[in-house]
């Protein structure tokens, strides 16, 4: 396989409803599409870095520069087309996991297409459908929050995650739990607390949460390990887990009992599978996180989440939960039993629509090897 070009497309897609976390409110998502072409095939990836460096240090624009100046030139210079080789060689560059993942994912799609199989088969995924979960942002009022959750439950979602922050935590969990005594419910703080908030966090134990996600900032592994013994609710880490090694350290020190795997945060599907394999070995449940991806990134998440260790519902929902019109056709739908089917076509198995991409594109550039 010879990669003839790599295209980067910076895209802006407006949400159907604003998404608010402890970082603030967003009305649209900025991200990059990565498109690799070679031998008549096209591989698609999505780089999930956001407009601002809030969830992580990367932004869509820093990812663009790192791709343009380092990752794409390396791919051409060393004639790389295999995602495993790419992942190994990209390690020489520190950080920038979302930029790396964006390009690695496009190579995975290309490889699966070249082999004539779905990406799930290439990964060794065993599940044909993934249990879906919806992530619900901070709303203007508790009534508004409960109304939103009611809507998602009516659509068929069996697991709900709510975003929390100081001042929007105990009451928010209480309101949702009161309305839905039996639903699988979890809360995500995106690092908004510290050990000083121990008394508040202990109160969350009253709501039978499936897990509490990332209460403390990313680098506070040690403080998470000090918090966990005070709670019955299992801690789950998102931002803190950037590699197999951080996963091992977190588990060894008791900083969490569950891990959220996001392919962008950990630098690609190779590292995501390393973390998955470690957790499977140790009997630690994992689930697939989301970054409000377009259908392209979401399809990638579905293939990854088909691996056997992904035993808890994913932050994966239907296209229409996020966007009026997704970049793929047909869009992703919620299926029976609150599950989403892993696409069965070649590669990621979904069809990006160029007209929709063109409409959403802020700018784009095609890179080719130097003559
Ligand atoms: O912390 O899981 C998170 C979205 C953007 C950034 C961080 C997070 C999220 C979500 C959305 O919770 C999950 C989804 O894609 O549905
Ligand atoms: Mg999270």
């Amino acid at each position: 396989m010879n990669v003839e070009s790599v295209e980067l497309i910076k895209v802006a897609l407006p949400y159907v409803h604003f998404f608010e976390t402890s970082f603030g409110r967003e009305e649209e998502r900025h991200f990059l599409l990565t498109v690799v072409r070679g031998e008549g095939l096209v591989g698609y990836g999505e780089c999930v870095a956001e407009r601002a460096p809030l969830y992580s240090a990367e932004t869509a624009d820093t990812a663009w520069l790192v791709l343009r100046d380092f990752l794409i030139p390396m791919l051409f210079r060393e004639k790389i087309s295999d995602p495993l080789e790419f992942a190994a060689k990209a390690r020489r560059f520190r950080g920038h996991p979302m930029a790396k993942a964006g390009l690695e994912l496009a190579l995975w799609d290309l490889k699966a297409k070249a082999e004539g199989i779905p990406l799930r088969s290439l990964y060794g995924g065993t599940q044909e459908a993934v249990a879906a979960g919806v992530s619900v942002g901070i709303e203007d009022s508790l009534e508004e929050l409960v109304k939103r959750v009611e809507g998602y439950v009516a659509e068929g979602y069996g697991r709900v995650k709510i975003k929390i922050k100081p001042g929007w935590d105990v009451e928010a969990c209480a309101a949702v739990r009161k309305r839905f005594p039996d639903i699988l419910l979890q809360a995500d703080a995106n690092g908004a607390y510290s050990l000083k908030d121990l008394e508040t966090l202990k109160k969350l134990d009253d709501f039978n949460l499936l897990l509490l996600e990332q209460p403390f900032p990313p680098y506070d592994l040690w403080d998470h390990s000090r918090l966990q013994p005070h709670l019955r609710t299992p801690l789950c880490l998102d931002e803190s887990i950037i590699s197999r090694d951080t996963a091992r350290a977190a588990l060894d020190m008791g900083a969490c009992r569950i891990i959220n795997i996001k392919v962008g945060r950990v630098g690609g599907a190779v590292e995501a599978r390393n973390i998955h394999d470690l957790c499977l070995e140790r009997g630690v449940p994992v689930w697939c996180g989301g970054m409000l991806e377009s259908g392209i990134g979401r399809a990638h998440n579905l293939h990854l989440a088909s691996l056997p260790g992904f035993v808890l519902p994913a932050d994966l929902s239907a296209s229409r939960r996020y966007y009026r019109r997704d970049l793929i056709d047909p869009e992703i739908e919620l299926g029976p039993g609150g599950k989403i089917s892993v696409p069965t076509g070649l590669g990621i198995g979904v069809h990006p629509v160029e007209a929709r991409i063109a409409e959403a594109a802020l700018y784009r550039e095609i890179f080719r090897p130097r003559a």
Side-chain angles (χ1 to χ4, degrees), residues 95-136:
H96 304 285
M98 292 173 177
K100 293 171 180 170
L103 191 47
E104 194 200 291
L105 290 175
L107 294 173
W108 278 110
D109 183 30
L110 190 71
K111 184 180 169 86
K113 284 170 175 163
E115 294 190 12
I117 55 175
L119 183 52
R120 173 168 83 95
S121 309
L122 201 52
Y123 283 162
T126 51
Q127 313 187 66
E128 283 169 17
V130 174
V134 64
S135 176
V136 185

Side-chain angles (χ1 to χ4, degrees), residues 15-78:
Y15 298 132
V16 286
H17 178 68
F18 65 80
F19 191 73
E20 184 171 327
T21 66
S22 56
F23 305 127
R25 183 175 290 192
E26 295 275 356
E27 306 277 351
E28 63 176 13
R29 196 164 99 77
H30 287 204
F31 59 100
L32 306 181
L33 294 177
T34 51
V35 188
V36 294
R37 295 185 173 86
E39 301 180 15
L41 297 171
V42 188
Y44 288 90
E46 182 165 330
C47 168
V48 297
E50 298 178 296
R51 192 186 53 79
L54 298 169
Y55 168 83
S56 78
E58 288 180 278
T59 71
D61 292 329
T62 68
W64 181 290
L65 293 183
V66 169
L67 282 156
R68 183 194 72 184
D69 294 345
F70 301 102
L71 298 172
I72 295 171
M74 177 188 83
L75 179 141
F76 288 139
R77 194 175 55 241
E78 307 197 16

Side-chain angles (χ1 to χ4, degrees), residues 19 50 55 135 161 163 188 190 213 238-239 260 262 290-293 315 317 322:
F19 191 73
E50 298 178 296
Y55 168 83
S135 176
K161 156 168 139 181
K163 292 290 188 177
D188 185 1
N190 288 111
E213 185 175 341
D238 172 353
E239 285 92 324
N260 158 327
K262 287 182 185 168
M291 293 291 293
L292 304 165
E293 287 88 349
D315 268 353
S317 27
Y322 312 86

